[in-house]
């Protein structure tokens, strides 16, 4: 007897939308947004262009922003590390996830952070800024600081900017040095910038003598 063909299952609205977003994210991971068309997304998802428009009537801009939201949620979780054990190993694990995301999304990550895309708007900028702010809040929490002062806030946000810049340069340098070396260097940079700020700010000095001292 000829085996019966598997029964066709119609995707739910959420499943179909997720399928289209996964296809878009896969394309944005390797090509800058302006080089990705709706036809490309439809082909990657194995559906028709009209179906893509049915779920994203705003066209490419709406699809890009939805994909960006999805990627941003993943990035936000990178620094969501349990508060167990010493601080620096926690930070290293968070950076491992961050660098893995950068590695997997490659050109898409570059387009996301470098800006200048034809699909960039105030909304997409706000999405990216939200990721930075969420990362900073996670770091304050790991430092045990509920109300960071201006110098500590500036130091942490400067370090997050340095992580982003280092990630972009890492991609431009063919992902050299190895990811583990990049991670360790970024952890050392974190300690270094906090130590410099500690010489000028009592709150940061308390952090260095408390959370960081206990982590070494």
């Amino acid at each position: 007897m000829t085996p019966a063909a598997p029964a066709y299952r119609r995707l739910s609205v959420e499943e179909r939308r997720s399928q289209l977003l996964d296809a878009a994210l896969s394309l944005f991971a390797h090509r800058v947004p302006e080089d990705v068309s709706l036809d490309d997304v439809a082909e990657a998802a194995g559906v028709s262009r009209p179906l893509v428009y049915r779920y994203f009537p705003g066209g490419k801009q709406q699809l890009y922003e939805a994909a960006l939201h999805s990627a941003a949620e993943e990035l936000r979780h990178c620094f969501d590390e349990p508060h167990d054990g010493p601080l620096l190993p926690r930070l290293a694990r968070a950076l491992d996830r961050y660098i893995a995301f950068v590695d997997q999304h490659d050109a898409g990550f570059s387009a996301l952070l470098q800006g200048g895309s034809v699909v960039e708007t105030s909304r997409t900028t706000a999405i990216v800024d939200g990721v930075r702010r969420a990362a900073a809040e996670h770091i304050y929490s790991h430092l045990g600081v509920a109300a960071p002062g201006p110098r500590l806030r500036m130091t942490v946000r400067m370090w997050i900017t340095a992580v982003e810049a280092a990630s972009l340069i890492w991609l431009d340098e063919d992902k050299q040095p190895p990811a583990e070396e990049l991670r360790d260097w970024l952890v050392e940079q974190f300690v270094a910038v906090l130590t410099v700020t500690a010489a000028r700010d009592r709150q940061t000095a308390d952090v260095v003598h408390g959370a960081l001292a206990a982590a070494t």
Side-chain angles (χ1 to χ4, degrees):
M1 295 179 61
T2 302
Y8 172 77
R9 186 175 73 86
R10 187 182 184 87
L11 297 181
S12 68
V13 170
E14 283 305 312
E15 287 173 329
R16 180 66 75 187
R17 191 173 189 277
S18 178
Q19 177 199 28
L20 294 174
L21 284 177
D22 286 345
L25 279 172
S26 178
L27 292 170
F28 291 138
H30 302 289
R31 292 153 60 183
V32 294
E34 50 263 44
D35 289 342
V36 177
S37 69
L38 288 182
D39 286 331
D40 294 329
V41 175
E43 182 179 357
V47 300
S48 66
R49 180 188 174 96
L51 184 64
V52 178
Y53 264 112
R54 183 187 306 172
Y55 284 85
F56 298 96
K60 179 176 174 177
Q61 180 65 36
Q62 183 185 6
L63 178 59
Y64 176 68
E65 289 181 12
L68 189 57
H69 267 296
S70 179
E73 281 303 308
E74 189 175 340
L75 270 176
R76 282 192 183 95
H77 291 308
C78 287
F79 286 92
D80 190 9
E81 175 70 21
H83 289 209
D84 299 325
L87 171 65
L88 297 186
R90 278 185 260 154
L91 185 60
R93 289 192 293 271
L95 284 170
D96 279 337
R97 289 193 292 272
Y98 187 93
I99 294 170
F101 180 94
V102 173
D103 186 22
Q104 292 165 9
H105 290 80
D106 211 304
F109 180 83
S110 298
L112 169 64
L113 291 185
Q114 288 179 316
S117 168
V118 294
V119 293
E120 183 183 14
T121 66
S122 60
R123 292 191 299 274
T124 61
T125 300
I127 293 169
V128 176
D129 190 54
V131 173
R132 294 168 179 151
R133 292 182 181 278
E137 291 300 323
H138 280 303
I139 292 171
Y140 302 144
S141 178
H142 283 293
L143 292 174
V145 178
R151 289 181 177 83
L152 181 56
R153 287 200 305 272
M154 185 178 293
T155 300
V156 169
R157 292 178 69 179
M158 284 172 58
W159 179 75
I160 291 170
T161 300
V163 170
E164 292 178 358
S167 299
L168 291 170
I169 296 169
W170 184 67
L171 292 176
D172 195 48
E173 293 290 337
D174 296 323
K175 301 179 182 177
Q176 291 298 320
E180 295 81 4
E181 185 178 332
L182 175 63
R183 173 205 62 205
D184 291 343
W185 179 69
L186 290 172
V187 171
E188 292 165 4
Q189 288 284 324
F190 181 69
V191 175
V193 294
L194 282 179
T195 302
V196 170
T197 303
R200 295 175 174 269
D201 180 57
R202 179 58 183 271
Q203 183 183 49
T204 307
D206 290 342
V207 167
V208 171
H209 293 141
L212 287 183
T216 57

